[in-house]
Amino acid sequence: MKLIVVGASHGGTEAVQTAIEQYPDSTIVWYEQANFRQMMGWSVEKLVAYRKKLTAQGVTLVDETRVVRLLAATHQLVIQAKEPATPQTVAYDKLILSPGSQARQLTVTGATLPGIVSLRGKGDLMWLREQARQNAQLQRIVVVGAGYIGLGAAEIFAQAHKTVTLIDVNEQPLHGYLDAEIAAPIAQTLRNHGIKLAMGQRVQRLLGEQHVTAVETDTATYAADLVVVAIGAVPQTQWLADTLALTSNGSVVTDAYQRTNLTDVLAIGDATQVNDGPTQQRITIALAGNARQQARNAVANLQLPTTPLAPTNGTSALPVFEYKLATTGLSEQRAHRLNRPIVAVTWTQPVTMNTDATVTTKLCYDPNTFEILGAQLVSTVDVTANINLVSVAIQAHFTIQQLATADFFFQPVFSTPTSFLKATAIAAVKQANQYRPA
Ligand SMILES: Cc1cc2nc3c(=O)[nH]c(=O)nc-3n(C[C@H](O)[C@H](O)[C@H](O)COP(=O)(O)OP(=O)(O)OC[C@H]3O[C@@H](n4cnc5c(N)ncnc54)[C@H](O)[C@@H]3O)c2cc1C
């Protein structure tokens, strides 16, 4: 079997690694449009050793080569390398596409001025850190978008003592992840670290002639030497539009087995959608964990559809200065937007017997079935891994009663006699009993 994998980030890498294990006799050709060594931040020696190992496993990594067309009828791809400049045609038996997404751009006047950047990965983050440390010309930084990536960028520049303004159309940072009261301490720490929050403002245009000089919103104008745009991502699938079924937002349409509408063509990662566990909607959740799980499933389904993708809860975590936050499943805000019944309880307690540091946990559940729908937690102590437990509970359709009576350990150095997650579930059960007579 000749397998071609397109894209060498999370999805592509996991697909290649899994295919090496499951199809050791196959020939795998792996295309990546970027320079792989630069993408990974590797030395020349490390790349040489990696290529050698891949070759021994039947894999050829072809980087700086863009796949420009899919010729489904003949099971072929058209590829465009830097050298030779003429496109070439290559054949596949099976094809796994993981072309991912690119940063969404502003569409207002001035959006293409020099000095406006967006981030697409590790290399870009490294560049940003270097700019913050070494580029004295950059004093006034405006970050547009207060999601995970925007907050990360704002923190990098605030730590370098730059003047940072964070703009978002929503009234709070991390609107897509946290409810307002859970995000409140995060907003406060951003302010405490000198970041000006310009929430509830929409960017109207970017000003400047040779270079961006300011960002104008519907409320105010902010001077800028550098503008970081972090307003989400869009699937990198334009080149597939003439052959593959795409959703209206450009995601490749796949079934539960990662199969596209074309025989022998599977797609994974940010370029596709997943089933959202709590709502059962098909949505885009751009996370590396999803891309990697889809990759393992795609390889398992290469010959026969045996392994459907389980629903996902968008489980994620982020450090923001001294805080560590994590979230999974539905927030109250999103449930209200979807008109879905939801009840929530919020509980704050010390993390362990040996510290005053607290953790605040919000648990969301269905008021009729008591099934757990989501959770958010925030603390100065790293308790983020607990969110994985709630994600599993959502996947297993656990109720608050089941979580409240689950078997959790107590060890004074690591926990309180009643762990914060269990305590939150107990509070939820008490709350539920109040509106549901016994
Ligand atoms: C700054 C930043 C930080 C992040 N941090 C986290 C995190 O902490 N945790 C987490 O879960 N997620 C994180 N993410 C999201 C995560 O990076 C993505 O969900 C994940 O990389 C998706 O993997 P993918 O393989 O689907 O696509 P991508 O990572 O987008 O990779 C697609 C690859 O395909 C290549 N490609 C595209 N089209 C072609 C073509 N036609 N020919 C050849 N090659 C092509 C691209 O060059 C790219 O290398 C972060 C994202 C960003 C931008």
Side-chain angles (χ1 to χ4, degrees):
M1 174 180 73
K2 181 178 175 191
L3 169 66
I4 289 187
V5 176
V6 178
S9 179
H10 285 282
T13 302
E14 191 71 28
V16 167
Q17 281 168 358
T18 313
I20 289 170
E21 287 161 21
Q22 294 190 15
Y23 294 97
D25 298 328
S26 62
T27 300
I28 303 171
V29 187
W30 190 14
Y31 290 104
E32 168 56 51
Q33 64 190 6
N35 178 303
F36 188 77
R37 190 175 73 77
Q38 283 170 7
M39 257 173 86
M40 304 300 285
W42 284 359
S43 64
V44 174
E45 294 72 28
K46 188 163 179 184
L47 180 64
V48 169
Y50 184 62
R51 275 191 195 279
K52 207 169 153 189
K53 186 174 161 213
L54 286 176
T55 306
Q57 293 168 320
V59 182
T60 310
L61 169 61
V62 187
D63 68 342
E64 297 193 306
T65 299
R66 192 171 155 73
V67 182
V68 291
R69 261 199 100 184
L70 169 54
L71 307 170
T74 51
H75 272 50
Q76 287 176 313
L77 291 175
V78 180
I79 59 166
Q80 173 78 65
K82 264 189 170 173
E83 296 290 337
T86 41
Q88 289 179 307
T89 304
V90 292
Y92 62 83
D93 298 319
K94 301 281 179 184
L95 174 63
I96 297 180
L97 299 169
S98 189
S101 53
Q102 59 205 15
R104 185 184 297 282
Q105 303 298 328
L106 288 164
T107 51
V108 296
T109 307
T112 55
L113 279 167
I116 302 170
V117 298
S118 48
L119 308 179
R120 255 328 293 160
K122 193 173 152 187
D124 294 343
L125 271 177
M126 278 159 48
W127 179 83
L128 217 59
R129 283 202 186 94
E130 199 178 297
Q131 294 298 310
R133 259 198 322 267
Q134 292 182 353
N135 191 342
Q137 309 278 320
L138 303 181
Q139 289 303 326
R140 298 160 306 176
I141 315 298
V142 175
V143 179
V144 183
Y148 278 14
I149 293 168
L151 256 62
E155 183 169 342
I156 287 172
F157 285 106
Q159 278 173 340
H161 308 292
K162 310 287 183 180
T163 303
V164 182
T165 306
L166 181 60
I167 300 174
D168 198 292
V169 72
N170 295 297
E171 296 293 337
Q172 61 163 88
L174 300 173
H175 179 263
Y177 303 89
L178 302 179
D179 288 318
E181 75 279 16
I182 306 294
I186 306 294
Q188 193 52 50
T189 199
L190 292 170
R191 286 190 204 98
N192 293 348
H193 285 88
I195 297 172
K196 178 176 175 49
L197 295 190
M199 298 292 106
Q201 297 188 29
R202 187 176 290 278
V203 173
Q204 302 287 35
R205 57 185 180 137
L206 293 113
L207 310 178
E209 282 174 14
Q210 307 304 322
H211 195 275
V212 69
T213 54
V215 179
E216 187 182 287
T217 72
D218 44 11
T219 310
T221 301
Y222 304 98
D225 303 317
L226 179 78
V227 177
V228 181
V229 177
I231 55 169
V234 286
Q236 230 169 166
T237 54
Q238 300 86 335
W239 61 283
L240 293 161
D242 60 344
T243 41
L244 271 186
L246 304 180
T247 66
S248 57
N249 78 344
S251 295
V252 179
V253 175
T254 60
D255 65 8
Y257 302 94
Q258 303 309 136
R259 295 178 300 181
T260 67
N261 62 313
L262 299 176
T263 312
D264 297 325
V265 181
L266 296 89
I268 58 176
D270 283 8
T272 65
Q273 294 186 319
V274 290
N275 265 0
D276 179 44
T279 63
Q280 291 303 314
Q281 287 181 330
R282 289 293 283 174
I283 57 169
T284 305
I285 305 181
L287 286 173
N290 290 343
R292 293 208 173 238
Q293 187 55 52
Q294 288 174 305
R296 289 189 283 272
N297 284 35
V299 174
N301 296 323
L302 265 186
Q303 302 294 353
L304 287 172
T306 55
T307 314
L309 186 74
T312 136
N313 302 317
T315 310
S316 61
L318 186 74
V320 184
F321 293 106
E322 71 275 29
Y323 283 105
K324 291 102 179 100
L325 63 94
T327 173
T328 188
L330 260 187
S331 65
E332 246 189 322
Q333 283 178 159
R334 183 162 162 244
H336 290 158
R337 277 201 303 277
L338 296 171
N339 243 342
R340 192 197 194 297
I342 196 163
V343 183
V345 70
T346 302
W347 181 263
T348 301
Q349 70 165 60
V351 176
T352 73
M353 295 287 282
N354 295 350
T355 174
D356 291 333
T358 59
V359 48
T360 296
T361 311
K362 180 167 183 174
L363 190 64
C364 299
Y365 60 96
D366 185 301
N368 302 309
T369 64
F370 306 107
E371 248 188 59
I372 296 165
L373 297 176
Q376 300 151 51
L377 53 91
V378 58
S379 176
T380 52
V381 180
D382 181 11
V383 289
T384 52
N386 284 270
I387 210 72
N388 291 329
L389 197 155
V390 184
S391 178
V392 173
I394 296 172
Q395 202 171 359
H397 301 285
F398 248 43
T399 61
I400 47 172
Q401 289 87 355
Q402 283 173 301
L403 187 59
T405 53
D407 175 29
F408 281 37
F409 74 81
F410 163 55
Q411 207 293 327
V413 178
F414 300 141
S415 72
T416 53
T418 305
S419 129
F420 66 88
L421 215 47
K422 194 176 169 103
T424 311
I426 291 170
V429 172
K430 283 185 189 157
Q431 181 194 57
N433 285 342
Q434 278 171 11
Y435 71 79
R436 185 186 65 156

